[in-house]
Structure formats: structure tokens, C-alpha cells
Amino acid sequence: MLRIARRFISITERSSVKLPFIPLVSENGIPDAIGNTPLLRLPKLSQELKRNIYAKAEFMNPGGSIKDRAALFIIKDAEEKGLIKPGGTIVEGTAGNTGIGLAHVCRSRGYNCVIYMPNTQSKAKIETLKLLGCEVHPVPVKPFDDPMNYNHQAKRHADSLENAVWTNQFDNTANRQAHIETTGPEIWTQLDGNVDAFTCSTGTGGTFAGVTRYLKEISDGKTKSFLADPPGSVLYSYIKSNGKEIVRGGSSFTEGIGQGRVTDNLAGDIELIDDAIQIPDEESIVMLYRLLDEEGLYLGATGALNVVAATKVAKLLPEGSNVVTILADSAHKYSDRIFSKQWLESKGFYLVLPDHLKKYAVLD
């Protein structure tokens, strides 16, 4: 239960409390503290573009990412369906953030948590999951149609246990529902319904599809929706060709986004998408550094890619328009890579950074 605490508070001249504000109190610990994140206008970019870029600060969730929302809804859905009982085990295949969200909710509800993930993900994600008490299985990267894909391994693990459930974040539409019921309404309310466009990348598709569905319905189709895609994902080609082509190939330094297929979370809302934008890695890494330097935001690559997409969408709209995107998580889990001069040089990114931003590449 999330409640609004008393708004009429005794204040003296020396009090540091400044009203009006809405003091939110979670009576149920972490689960009820998930969501209700700030919407940040990015002043420098907005002034430059003469359009307003708003970004949902999802790194402010208790587990540090937007995936906390899906994790909570997925577990609640399993409980409501009687798929999991007290003391049971939650098993998931994840690039990391959903696993971290699940681990927090599992700890608060008394479940065990087992995570399978690609062994290419950041060391910090693996360590965080272990610190949260998870059993972690980093496995070699395999395509979805390979039985050794991390998702299939997670399902087999769950099937081998009593009182266990594979939460199946990619095709479990409780993921999408989390954003229909929380993220979308929050955005709409925060801007008093003045949402001209929404854009973000997709991993499972839950965030993009859920927010798109809500905004399209409440705006009677007026809010435009643009899918943002990194290199190596098939969704850009799929949407651009109206479902006739799936172009494979390429890769990206981003983690947890891009897809080799259309997931169940995304499939039902494909017709709502106005267009797709593909964002080169070079533009994402420059934006990541710009956001730190100009906006004071310490973000992961997904958030940077999403902001690049928002700037491109903004240029398609009239001056003064409001474009919303998602800051999926912070840079904490990726800092040993993205702020390493050696890593940047190995990827060919160091040379694309403007000279005044190279000062942030301080790690060996």
C-alpha cells in the first residue's frame, strides 16, 4: 500500500520543509516504492532543439532500473494465478536489470531467485545479483532458436524444481501490463496530457508497448510513438518494412536492448507504432558523455540511446512539442567499460568523442 502522508505539517521559521509537496510513504517496503519516478526536462537539449525533451528517471526505482516495474507485476501475476507459493523459487533469463528487480522483490517476499544471463553482460550486474542472494548462471550467448539460449535454460531449471516458476519476461504480458497501469499514466499525468511523442528502445518490448498502448488510447491516437533500435536488432527493419523483412547482423555495446524476434509483449501493439529509428553506437556514446557533462546525468547506454532517439523525433515535430523517453538505469553497472579509455579505444569510440568530453574517460 502506497499512501500519501498528511500534507498539513507543522512548520516553524527554522523548518527545512518546503511545501507544497506530496510525501509518499510505502507501508509495504520496496514493492510499493516501485514506480512514481520523476519526469525530468533536459534543459540544455530542450533549449537547443526548441522542443522539450522529457525523460522518466527510472534509475530512481529501488532496484535502480525500469525493470523493477516488470519484476513486481510478473511476481504478483504468478502469485495471483497460484503458480508460486511461500518459499518457492523464481527463475528468469535476463541481461541483468530484470534479475536485479526480481531479486529485490523476491527478498522482500521470501522467495529464492535463480538467474540465467549471457556471459557478455557487465561484471557488476553479475556481482550485484550474487550480493542480492541470487544463484547466478552466466552462460554463452546463443540465438533464441538454440536450446542452449539462456531463456530456455532458465525454463528447464524451473521445470526441474518443485514450487518454482519461470517468469518468462520476454513473452509474459504481465510485463507490458506494468507499463499500461503505471508508467504510461504517470507520464500522462506529469505533463497534464501534453504528450506529443514517446520513444524508447525495446528489450522485452514491455516498456515500449505498454506505454505506447496507454498513451495512444488516452490521447485518441494523437501521441506519436517511435521505436528506437540499436545496431544488430531486427525490429527496425521489421517495422520499416511493415513486417515483411527481418534483417539480421551487426552488434551494439548497449546491454539488454535490441531483439532478434518480435516478442509477445510487443506483438499486440505493432500496429500502433508510427515509425522506427536506428541509432548508431557512436551517437549513443557521445550522448552518454554529453548528458553527464551538460545535464549532470550519470546514465547507462540505453538511456543515452533513448535520448538520441528523442532528439531525432523532436526535430520531426513543431517547436514547443513535448517528447518523452526513458532513462532506463544509471551508469554504475557499466562504468568500468564506458568510462575506460582503453575500452573506448578498443571499440573505436574514443576518437568520436569531442575533446572536451574526453576528460570523463578516467578509468584504465
Side-chain angles (χ1 to χ4, degrees):
M1 175 183 175
L2 186 68
R3 67 178 175 87
I4 299 176
R6 290 189 308 161
R7 298 191 61 183
F8 299 99
I9 300 173
S10 176
I11 303 175
T12 68
E13 289 184 2
R14 296 182 179 181
S15 174
S16 62
V17 177
K18 296 181 180 180
L19 295 180
F21 76 110
I22 302 176
L24 300 178
V25 178
S26 170
E27 300 287 0
N28 193 34
I30 277 182
D32 287 343
I34 292 171
N36 198 35
T37 56
L39 187 67
L40 311 179
R41 180 177 176 271
L42 305 184
K44 300 291 180 59
L45 282 173
S46 298
Q47 183 177 4
E48 174 186 313
L49 295 164
K50 296 182 174 58
R51 284 93 171 156
N52 297 308
I53 305 297
Y54 285 96
K56 204 83 163 82
E58 291 301 298
F59 55 85
M60 295 183 71
N61 278 302
S65 85
I66 193 165
K67 294 297 188 176
D68 286 11
R69 297 180 188 258
L72 178 61
F73 268 66
I74 285 170
I75 288 180
K76 287 171 63 177
D77 181 67
E79 292 172 337
E80 290 166 4
K81 291 176 178 177
L83 300 176
I84 190 79
K85 298 178 178 60
T89 301
I90 298 293
V91 187
E92 183 55 281
T94 169
N97 278 337
T98 301
I100 292 169
L102 287 169
H104 280 288
V105 179
C106 282
R107 292 273 59 79
S108 71
R109 281 167 134 78
Y111 300 128
N112 301 310
C113 189
V114 178
I115 299 298
Y116 282 78
M117 63 191 303
N119 60 8
T120 55
Q121 303 306 293
S122 70
K123 180 182 177 183
K125 284 183 181 177
I126 297 171
E127 291 175 344
T128 299
L129 287 164
K130 289 180 178 179
L131 288 168
L132 288 168
C134 293
E135 178 183 327
V136 185
H137 298 269
V139 298
V141 176
K142 299 291 182 183
F144 186 76
D145 56 6
D146 189 305
M148 296 307 291
N149 175 274
Y150 66 102
N151 287 294
H152 303 319
Q153 292 197 56
K155 181 180 186 303
R156 290 195 296 271
H157 189 117
D159 290 344
S160 72
L161 302 175
E162 295 291 332
N163 190 19
V165 61
W166 171 50
T167 45
N168 188 18
Q169 62 164 326
F170 289 88
D171 296 311
N172 184 340
T173 55
N175 174 351
R176 169 179 172 269
Q177 193 64 29
H179 303 287
I180 293 175
E181 293 188 26
T182 69
T183 321
E186 288 173 27
I187 290 169
W188 186 257
T189 303
Q190 286 168 318
L191 285 178
D192 295 321
N194 298 311
V195 185
D196 297 297
F198 171 71
T199 183
C200 75
S201 53
T202 71
T204 64
T207 300
F208 177 78
V211 174
T212 291
R213 171 62 63 177
Y214 181 85
L215 294 178
K216 284 287 187 180
E217 290 187 354
I218 198 168
S219 71
D220 196 25
K222 294 178 183 177
T223 300
K224 301 297 183 183
S225 178
F226 296 80
L227 184 145
D229 225 20
S233 175
V234 305
L235 297 177
Y236 173 78
S237 62
Y238 184 85
I239 292 165
K240 281 292 191 180
S241 66
N242 292 316
K244 296 176 183 177
E245 294 182 1
I246 290 184
V247 178
R248 301 184 186 277
S251 62
S252 174
F253 81 101
T254 57
E255 296 185 18
I257 57 172
Q259 260 299 338
R261 64 188 180 97
V262 178
T263 65
D264 286 356
N265 275 296
L266 183 61
D269 297 306
I270 288 288
E271 77 281 358
L272 299 180
I273 302 173
D274 291 284
D275 206 349
I277 302 170
Q278 190 171 63
I279 309 299
D281 275 357
E282 291 79 5
E283 294 186 30
S284 294
I285 197 71
V286 171
M287 181 59 75
L288 187 149
Y289 275 67
R290 277 193 67 186
L291 289 167
L292 177 58
D293 186 65
E294 298 173 18
E295 309 284 359
L297 289 167
Y298 184 64
L299 301 174
T302 298
L305 182 150
N306 288 344
V307 173
V308 174
T311 64
K312 293 180 182 293
V313 169
K315 293 174 183 178
L316 303 174
L317 303 175
E319 288 189 9
S321 296
N322 294 334
V323 181
V324 178
T325 192
I326 302 292
L327 305 181
D329 64 1
S330 74
H332 289 92
K333 297 183 290 292
Y334 320 98
S335 59
D336 61 337
R337 297 183 183 183
I338 58 180
F339 295 110
S340 162
K341 181 179 178 182
Q342 182 178 354
W343 182 85
L344 290 166
E345 288 176 335
S346 73
K347 298 292 183 181
F349 294 153
Y350 190 71
L351 291 177
V352 306
L353 288 176
D355 288 342
H356 73 284
L357 297 179
K358 290 178 179 178
K359 63 186 177 184
Y360 296 107
V362 296
L363 302 181
D364 294 332

